[in-house]
Amino acid sequence: MDDEEARTRLLDAAEALFYAEGVQAVGMDRIRAESGVPLKRLYRIFPAKEALVTAYLERRDQRWTASLREAVAGSADPVAAVFDWLGRWFSEPDFRGCAFLNAYGELGAGPAGVLDVVRRHKAELRALLGDLVGPDREDLADQLLLLAEGATAVAALTPGPVPAVRAREAAHVLLNASRVG
């Protein structure tokens, strides 16, 4: 196994374990055991747990954001497509809320690399929503972000598409009100 394969195996194990059980609950030895990567190589690739958590979140951000962008691309109603995509995500059997806010909730403002990834992820989601509603509508994009984040938090406690459906309905109220005003 070369370093790239070892890195992939480590990140796969970290993502599954950190998302399901939490960053604090999972030690490096557990990541090593689940990945099958020797401990010495694990620490050569990720010298500290913070580096592994940061890499896990960066990879998750890339995949999550790409999937969402793909879902809204070419949609006749891209804002609705955001909430429809969220509803599908909330309905996945292993859904456990937002990995970024979960990590931040566990680690707080401590590890700078982790906090940076969390902030970038949320800024990218806000930018995507801003692109959908158009320029000079920052307030509307901020409101849609609050709806998406709120739906995600509610869905973490009550999985299923209902929080996304309700947020989608609220988003359309906001969109209609912004057209009138």
Side-chain angles (χ1 to χ4, degrees), residues 60-86 88-89 119-134 145:
R60 188 170 181 96
D61 172 58
Q62 290 168 358
R63 290 193 318 223
W64 191 94
T65 305
S67 179
L68 178 56
R69 285 190 183 281
E70 183 179 314
V72 301
S75 173
D77 187 348
V79 171
V82 168
F83 293 98
D84 293 344
W85 182 89
L86 288 173
R88 289 189 299 277
W89 176 44
R119 285 185 173 146
R120 279 190 322 228
H121 172 75
K122 296 306 174 186
E124 187 162 355
L125 176 57
R126 166 52 180 78
L128 182 149
L129 294 168
D131 291 345
L132 298 180
V133 298
L145 177 64

Side-chain angles (χ1 to χ4, degrees), residues 13 15 21 61 69 83 91 96 100 116 121 127 162 172 180:
E15 183 163 9
E21 299 177 25
D61 172 58
R69 285 190 183 281
F83 293 98
S91 298
R96 199 177 158 275
F100 304 91
D116 184 50
H121 172 75
V162 173
H172 277 287
V180 172

Side-chain angles (χ1 to χ4, degrees), residues 3-180:
D3 279 354
E4 190 57 37
E5 180 185 350
R7 179 180 169 76
T8 298
R9 289 170 70 171
L10 290 164
L11 287 172
D12 288 346
E15 183 163 9
L17 293 169
F18 289 159
Y19 187 68
E21 299 177 25
V23 171
Q24 302 274 31
V26 177
M28 294 296 269
D29 196 52
R30 179 105 181 271
I31 299 289
R32 181 209 50 80
E34 292 290 323
S35 68
V37 174
L39 196 60
K40 187 174 181 179
R41 181 174 273 178
L42 183 160
Y43 280 108
R44 188 175 72 232
I45 296 170
F46 297 108
K49 187 174 182 181
E50 178 185 341
L52 178 59
V53 173
T54 301
Y56 141 67
L57 290 172
E58 286 172 340
R59 185 174 82 158
R60 188 170 181 96
D61 172 58
Q62 290 168 358
R63 290 193 318 223
W64 191 94
T65 305
S67 179
L68 178 56
R69 285 190 183 281
E70 183 179 314
V72 301
S75 173
D77 187 348
V79 171
V82 168
F83 293 98
D84 293 344
W85 182 89
L86 288 173
R88 289 189 299 277
W89 176 44
F90 299 165
S91 298
E92 291 177 3
D94 64 344
F95 177 76
R96 199 177 158 275
C98 175
F100 304 91
L101 292 181
N102 292 347
Y104 179 75
E106 283 190 71
L107 304 174
V114 172
L115 181 58
D116 184 50
V117 175
V118 171
R119 285 185 173 146
R120 279 190 322 228
H121 172 75
K122 296 306 174 186
E124 187 162 355
L125 176 57
R126 166 52 180 78
L128 182 149
L129 294 168
D131 291 345
L132 298 180
V133 298
D136 301 324
R137 300 184 82 188
E138 289 82 19
D139 289 349
L140 181 57
D142 290 341
Q143 292 165 341
L144 293 174
L145 177 64
L146 290 172
L147 288 173
E149 291 296 326
T152 304
V154 170
L157 300 174
T158 56
V162 173
V165 170
R166 297 291 180 255
R168 179 184 181 191
E169 293 165 353
H172 277 287
V173 169
L174 288 171
L175 289 167
N176 290 335
S178 75
R179 289 182 189 116
V180 172

